[in-house]
Amino acid sequence: MWLEDSSGKTLHSKLLNTLTADIKEGRLTPGSMLPGSRVLAEQLGVNRKTVQQVYEELEAQGWLVTRSRSGTFVSEILPEQGLSTSDHYLVNSTDRTKSASELVEILYQEARGSYNDIPIMNDGTPDSRLIPYELLARTYRRVCVDLSRQSKLGYGDPKGSIELRKSIAKMLSGDRFMNCSAEQVCVVRGSQMGIYLASRILDPGKGAIVMEDLCYLPARAAFESNGFKVLKCRLDDKGLDIEHLREILAEHSVAAIYVTPHHQYPTTVCMHMSRRLVLLELSKTYKFAVLEDDYDHEFHYETNPIPPLASLPNSENVVHIGSMSKVFAPGLRLGYMAADAQFIERAAQEIVLIDRQGNAVSELVLSNLMESGEVRRHIRKTRKEYEARRNFAAEEFVRFFGDKVSFKLPTGGMAIWVNISKLVNGKVLEQLPGKDSTLSTAYNDDQIIPTHLRFGFGALSKAEITQSVEQLSKALLVSE
């Protein structure tokens, strides 16, 4: 089998189309056994995860079956058997849609995992068990009753409810020192939607988008899907490498730079204040936008959080993107963008095309909770819990690994960036046991040998942290 001449733009689609065609043409007969995912990946020179996802997709379509402890086989009863000629056309016609990128396909398969009993990766998610469900339920009921009495459950402002935008503007002004009004805030369905909207508004013809060397892949996928070339800028222990950024700006036209300065994703490093100020000066000199993803500002443990880029001098080009998902739960799906009024107006115009408006009930519920002080009280309570879990996770890594691993205790967030290079010692590791650790190779296409792992402690109790770290130690210390 080879993929060079196969139809499709990505390795995923090429392999999918090749296997499907071979089954249809009889080269792979019903009941025949396929190579294991590891073997086939090595033969084709592709990532094993790509092969696994193709096998899973073909199984869902009915072309393959997996038998426990036996392997993967071509289905005895193929999905096309018994179809009429016209139905064959409907099944086989593939020219009506454009292909997604390989990265988008991977992210989509991971997102579907929760519906297929596949563990979702925990790389710093909050603990849904800490959600104040009773408080949420009472507030939802009260808001729904009030809205129905006032007949206000119709369409509203695409920017989001004015009540929530005022509450967010007050929070950003009071807690993050941003000079922000409600007209400079747009409510979105989480930070990912804010990132996507920002890249829709920016013009790909005016340059590339710069991202940190190790980065948030869904953001990269959003930028690439909107026509941008992504350039990588190096990182060090003080965050974004400003000198490398200067080199990039001297050689390339740049439309924007995407950064996670508060707790860099995935390394957890906090960008040094001096670099923040230089970055903002460069944004004005070279006229590029700064997309600031402030995804977990509330959870900072050591001292008061460093003010966001949007609160500093020369921040006119900053688009501040945040989320309330980590405060309560990802399922709440509420985030926000804060920028100049013209940029927010363009965001609202894009929202009209895809969403019209968000969830008015949830927006008013959150506004109620913010105005009553419940959100602030909940953050104070959970911040102490997450800090205790961070400290305990650090102690467990020392207890199980000793000096074979190293890490810098993060000042905030819900994950620890652990150096495992001594244990890996140049060996290729494809995956780790469990769902609480992610290899550094997952955040950079060019890295083959992992050097670090990101361990998410936020969603775990102390007993679960011990169990997860112990499981890691058994896998890594054995392979040493």
Side-chain angles (χ1 to χ4, degrees):
M1 181 185 293
W2 58 92
L3 300 180
E4 288 82 355
D5 300 325
S6 301
S7 62
K9 294 183 179 180
T10 66
L11 290 173
H12 180 281
S13 58
K14 284 176 180 289
L15 180 57
L16 185 75
N17 293 338
T18 296
L19 289 174
T20 305
D22 284 351
I23 295 172
K24 290 178 180 178
E25 294 167 6
R27 181 169 177 262
L28 293 174
T29 58
S32 60
M33 183 177 181
L34 271 68
S37 59
R38 186 190 302 275
V39 173
L40 185 56
E42 291 175 354
Q43 290 176 350
L44 298 177
V46 301
N47 192 296
R48 184 186 179 192
K49 180 179 281 189
T50 300
V51 178
Q52 290 173 325
Q53 289 172 342
V54 168
Y55 277 10
E56 290 170 5
E57 190 166 340
L58 290 174
E59 184 175 4
Q61 294 175 7
W63 296 105
L64 302 179
V65 293
T66 299
R67 299 171 191 159
S68 179
R69 299 187 180 182
S70 296
T72 302
F73 300 82
V74 178
S75 178
E76 297 283 359
I77 302 176
L78 300 178
E80 291 193 346
Q81 292 175 357
L83 292 180
S84 65
T85 303
S86 60
D87 285 342
H88 269 288
Y89 169 76
L90 293 174
V91 170
N92 292 325
S93 182
T94 59
D95 58 356
R96 289 187 287 272
T97 60
K98 66 178 182 179
S99 299
S101 70
E102 185 173 11
L103 177 56
V104 170
E105 288 180 343
I106 290 172
L107 294 171
Y108 175 66
Q109 294 299 332
E110 290 177 350
R112 290 181 60 202
S114 59
Y115 299 101
N116 298 321
D117 297 324
I118 299 173
I120 298 300
M121 292 308 298
N122 159 37
D123 64 350
T125 55
D127 192 342
S128 61
R129 293 168 294 190
L130 300 180
I131 298 172
Y133 288 108
E134 292 185 3
L135 174 63
L136 271 176
R138 289 198 305 270
T139 311
Y140 263 102
R141 184 180 185 281
R142 185 174 68 251
V143 166
C144 285
V145 170
D146 290 345
L147 286 174
S148 62
R149 286 174 177 172
Q150 300 171 36
S151 300
K152 288 187 176 180
L153 278 172
Y155 286 116
D157 193 327
K159 296 189 189 77
S161 69
I162 185 61
E163 292 86 353
L164 181 56
R165 287 191 287 129
K166 285 181 177 179
S167 297
I168 291 172
K170 184 191 299 184
M171 175 194 72
L172 296 177
S173 299
D175 296 347
R176 306 189 193 180
F177 315 109
M178 293 168 55
N179 184 15
C180 182
S181 68
E183 292 306 309
Q184 294 173 283
V185 174
C186 181
V187 178
V188 291
R189 284 339 103 222
S191 57
Q192 179 63 24
M193 181 175 173
I195 294 166
Y196 182 83
L197 282 173
S199 63
R200 284 283 299 170
I201 297 167
L202 296 170
D203 183 0
K206 293 186 177 179
I209 288 184
V210 177
M211 298 187 73
E212 295 149 321
D213 190 33
L214 297 168
C215 64
Y216 183 53
L217 291 182
R220 179 184 139 192
F223 300 145
E224 291 176 341
S225 72
N226 283 312
F228 285 98
K229 178 182 179 181
V230 171
L231 305 174
K232 295 292 188 69
C233 185
R234 289 192 294 265
L235 286 161
D236 60 23
D237 60 357
K238 292 184 179 178
L240 191 76
D241 186 332
I242 292 295
E243 294 309 311
H244 188 214
L245 177 61
R246 291 184 192 273
E247 295 174 11
I248 293 173
L249 293 171
E251 297 177 6
H252 301 274
S253 174
V254 171
I257 180 168
Y258 169 84
V259 288
T260 49
H262 199 48
H263 305 126
Q264 199 279 331
Y265 184 93
T267 68
T268 74
V269 172
C270 186
M271 188 188 294
H272 196 272
M273 177 59 80
S274 61
R275 296 193 179 185
R276 295 174 182 236
L277 296 173
V278 174
L279 172 60
L280 293 174
E281 289 177 2
L282 291 172
S283 76
K284 294 193 73 174
T285 301
Y286 289 90
K287 295 180 173 59
F288 61 81
V290 178
L291 307 182
E292 178 183 29
D293 187 353
D294 201 14
Y295 63 96
D296 62 357
H297 184 95
E298 293 81 8
F299 299 106
H300 200 80
Y301 312 124
E302 300 300 316
T303 57
N304 290 329
I306 294 179
L309 296 172
S311 70
L312 301 175
N314 298 315
S315 61
E316 292 87 345
N317 294 332
V318 175
V319 178
H320 186 81
I321 300 170
S323 173
M324 302 305 293
S325 295
K326 285 186 168 55
V327 175
F328 282 100
L332 194 59
R333 303 318 309 139
L334 285 175
Y336 53 87
M337 302 171 66
D340 65 77
Q342 183 179 359
F343 193 93
I344 294 301
E345 194 72 17
R346 278 290 295 115
Q349 290 169 359
E350 292 292 329
I351 287 174
V352 165
L353 300 177
I354 59 174
D355 193 32
R356 177 56 181 89
Q357 72 173 66
N359 187 326
V361 176
S362 292
E363 291 175 18
L364 289 175
V365 166
L366 183 56
S367 177
N368 268 251
L369 293 170
M370 292 176 75
E371 293 302 315
S372 66
E374 292 292 352
V375 169
R376 190 182 295 271
R377 281 189 284 274
H378 179 70
I379 290 172
R380 282 199 300 266
K381 178 182 176 181
T382 53
R383 185 191 292 131
K384 291 180 181 178
E385 177 62 29
Y386 290 134
E387 181 179 7
R389 294 182 183 187
R390 177 203 64 170
N391 296 341
F392 183 75
E395 293 169 1
E396 292 298 83
F397 268 99
V398 172
R399 183 165 75 92
F400 282 101
F401 288 95
D403 61 356
K404 296 183 185 297
V405 301
S406 59
F407 55 88
K408 184 177 180 181
L409 196 66
T411 56
M414 300 185 193
I416 299 178
W417 188 245
V418 183
N419 188 330
I420 58 170
S421 54
K422 288 182 181 179
L423 295 175
V424 175
N425 195 23
K427 291 178 290 190
V428 176
L429 286 181
E430 290 188 352
Q431 58 187 9
L432 292 169
K435 60 181 177 58
D436 305 313
S437 302
T438 309
L439 290 169
S440 54
T441 47
Y443 306 103
N444 187 325
D445 292 340
D446 300 326
Q447 192 179 78
I448 300 172
I449 306 298
T451 58
H452 293 73
L453 63 83
R454 180 176 165 93
F455 179 79
F457 59 80
L460 306 177
S461 67
K462 289 185 176 181
E464 291 165 341
I465 289 172
T466 297
Q467 182 181 12
S468 188
V469 176
E470 182 179 14
Q471 189 179 26
L472 264 179
S473 68
K474 289 178 180 178
L476 291 174
L477 293 177
V478 167
S479 62
E480 186 184 1

